[in-house]
Amino acid sequence: MLFKYTYIRHDMEKMQEYMDYIFYEVWYKAMYTQGGFSLELFNQKLELKEIMESFFYSDTEGGDLFYESVEEIFYLFQKIDLIQTNQLKEWYDANNNIEALCANKAEITPVTYNELNSFHKPLHDKIKKLFKNLYGKKIIGLKAVTDKIGTIDQHYQEFMTVNTKGKCPCCGLNSLKGVFHSKREAYDHYLPKGTYPFNAINFKNLIPICHECNSSYKLEKNPLYVVPNLTGGRRKAFYLYCNHDISIDITVNLNLTRKDEIKPENIQLEFRADGYEEEIETWKEVFGIEERYKAECSAENDGLDWLEQVTDDLENYGDTTQKICPEDMLETLRKAHSRKPFGEKRFLKLPFLKECQRIGLF
């Protein structure tokens, strides 16, 4: 990632709190519960109890699905032993510890739906049915829920009020819709919700990113495993809500002599951030970074325009006694980059033009 997001506190987080309560206080304790499943199990979480009561008496598809799934999983938990119950708790904890998973902490092992299916197929089927529908209008879009937690659109507006760079942190190339837009970007499940149970509504696993990153490149790629997914070894990945800034230094190398040769095959890129070598490799693979940056620098995209703008300015700026030199122009670009590196793609434009100057293209 090119920069971190600032995590915000919002009522939307309550849905994860509700799921935590359901797991730890209802399902995990099912074997000790006398009298079977009832609304009384939710007495210690009154807002959730009100939602469950609403779903019990409603005839909405999503409400029925949520209530019935919670109840059915409760009875399945009653039938398994303590060892199995504790294993599920360990997996639930792990899959919601997004930061530790990204850091590839040895003591934190995630569970996939495939592994859950091998462990206990009936539980797998019910858990997957619930969690695959949890993020979306079918459940969290219902009035009984939005009255308690608000909406994704409201979360997005508050999120963008705090996170104001205006660019996608995963590529830096594309703008994100901000507070002045009536529409919003999609939230990506960083750890894919189709691969991992239990964290579909965990906002530490939900990141607004551009459409190209989300729908063209990342798709269902798994940041936690070396390609091919789940058969290679575990790897580190950037955690987009980390508490510290990470600066990736990009170097462009051009193997050419003429501007019409600025093509991806003649462009080499180097990425450096001390101590984050593994995270950088994951980022490059998941979001197709090298392909996209090479294409951006090529003659068919911005690269040629950047170069021709510089050469035009060098030739035409001021009168013949006031022409600027390449060093002055690059220094001006450096200053703009230091203030706002992602404006006009300066994080990539600057190293590209520095290399163009080095090889004598201007």
Side-chain angles (χ1 to χ4, degrees):
M1 66 179 184
L2 293 170
F3 56 87
K4 70 179 182 69
Y5 270 146
T6 298
Y7 189 80
I8 68 165
R9 309 300 301 186
H10 189 275
D11 281 348
M12 285 296 300
E13 292 175 298
K14 289 181 180 180
M15 198 64 195
Q16 180 63 40
E17 294 174 10
Y18 298 158
M19 296 312 303
D20 289 348
Y21 182 91
I22 289 169
F23 187 92
Y24 296 120
E25 301 299 326
V26 179
W27 295 342
Y28 183 70
K29 297 180 179 180
M31 68 174 65
Y32 307 112
T33 302
Q34 302 297 319
F37 185 83
S38 73
L39 290 171
E40 301 306 308
L41 296 173
F42 303 90
N43 283 345
Q44 301 305 309
K45 201 75 168 175
L46 292 181
E47 282 192 352
L48 176 57
K49 183 178 182 180
E50 290 172 4
I51 291 173
M52 294 296 289
E53 286 177 330
S54 174
F55 287 168
F56 179 77
Y57 292 109
S58 77
D59 57 358
T60 61
E61 178 186 0
D64 288 344
L65 186 156
F66 188 87
Y67 188 98
E68 291 171 4
S69 295
V70 172
E71 181 179 20
E72 290 166 350
I73 294 169
F74 169 86
Y75 284 116
L76 288 172
F77 264 79
Q78 280 197 325
K79 296 177 182 178
I80 60 178
D81 60 34
L82 183 59
I83 293 176
Q84 291 173 303
T85 302
N86 285 334
Q87 178 63 81
L88 288 162
K89 179 181 179 297
E90 181 179 321
W91 282 336
Y92 185 90
D93 292 342
N95 279 23
N96 280 291
N97 195 341
I98 312 300
E99 185 171 12
L101 291 176
C102 289
N104 195 12
K105 298 289 186 182
E107 67 274 17
I108 307 294
T109 303
V111 65
T112 66
Y113 275 115
N114 287 340
E115 292 167 324
L116 185 59
N117 187 56
S118 298
F119 177 79
H120 195 291
K121 188 177 188 318
L123 267 172
H124 161 274
D125 294 346
K126 298 299 182 182
I127 287 171
K128 189 168 188 178
K129 181 180 179 181
L130 172 59
F131 278 89
K132 79 174 185 179
N133 288 292
L134 194 55
Y135 179 84
K137 292 183 179 180
K138 182 176 285 189
I139 294 177
I140 63 169
L142 295 174
K143 187 177 186 302
V145 179
T146 60
D147 283 348
K148 307 295 185 187
I149 71 173
T151 68
I152 294 287
D153 289 348
Q154 291 167 351
H155 181 278
Y156 185 83
Q157 281 289 312
E158 293 191 27
F159 187 91
M160 286 302 172
T161 300
V162 173
N163 293 278
T164 58
K165 284 190 170 63
K167 296 291 182 179
C168 175
C170 298
C171 69
L173 301 175
N174 298 316
S175 297
L176 298 183
K177 297 179 182 68
V179 295
F180 300 123
H181 291 82
S182 61
K183 307 298 181 182
R184 64 172 175 83
E185 304 295 341
Y187 286 68
D188 174 64
H189 286 82
Y190 192 52
L191 308 187
K193 67 176 181 178
T195 301
Y196 294 106
F198 304 132
N199 55 28
I201 197 61
N202 187 333
F203 273 82
K204 293 182 178 178
N205 189 42
L206 287 163
I207 54 172
I209 60 177
C210 72
H211 178 78
E212 191 170 5
C213 278
N214 193 359
S215 300
S216 297
Y217 282 92
K218 182 172 182 288
L219 302 171
E220 290 297 311
K221 289 179 184 174
N222 188 344
L224 300 187
Y225 282 86
V226 178
V227 175
N229 287 345
L230 305 182
T231 59
R234 282 283 307 279
R235 63 183 176 183
K236 293 180 180 179
F238 285 123
Y239 174 58
L240 271 76
Y241 296 113
C242 63
N243 293 321
H244 50 278
D245 291 319
I246 297 170
S247 178
I248 298 177
D249 182 52
I250 301 174
T251 301
V252 177
N253 296 298
L254 301 176
N255 182 26
L256 50 92
T257 58
R258 304 189 314 272
K259 65 183 182 181
D260 61 358
E261 295 177 331
I262 303 176
K263 301 175 181 178
E265 59 265 29
N266 297 324
I267 301 170
Q268 297 300 317
L269 301 171
E270 297 177 15
F271 302 86
R272 291 187 300 275
D274 291 343
Y276 294 96
E277 292 78 13
E278 191 172 340
E279 289 91 338
I280 287 174
E281 291 305 310
T282 300
W283 166 65
K284 286 161 55 181
E285 184 271 316
V286 169
F287 295 101
I289 294 300
E290 289 216 48
E291 173 187 292
R292 296 167 70 186
Y293 285 11
K294 287 181 180 181
E296 199 68 35
C297 291
S298 71
E300 70 176 7
N301 286 315
D302 281 342
L304 185 58
D305 287 341
W306 293 337
L307 178 58
E308 290 182 341
Q309 180 183 4
V310 168
T311 55
D312 287 348
D313 287 347
L314 289 173
E315 291 175 3
N316 301 316
Y317 184 85
D319 59 35
T320 56
T321 63
Q322 294 179 320
K323 289 188 180 297
I324 59 174
C325 65
E327 289 75 16
D328 290 338
M329 183 165 288
L330 287 177
E331 181 59 26
T332 298
L333 182 57
R334 286 189 194 97
K335 290 178 180 178
H337 172 270
S338 67
R339 292 192 303 269
K340 198 171 183 179
F342 303 103
E344 299 180 355
K345 306 172 187 175
R346 296 185 188 101
F347 74 98
L348 190 58
K349 180 180 182 179
L350 178 59
F352 172 78
L353 289 177
K354 286 171 62 177
E355 176 66 0
C356 287
Q357 184 200 29
R358 188 191 69 81
I359 64 175
L361 292 184
F362 66 88

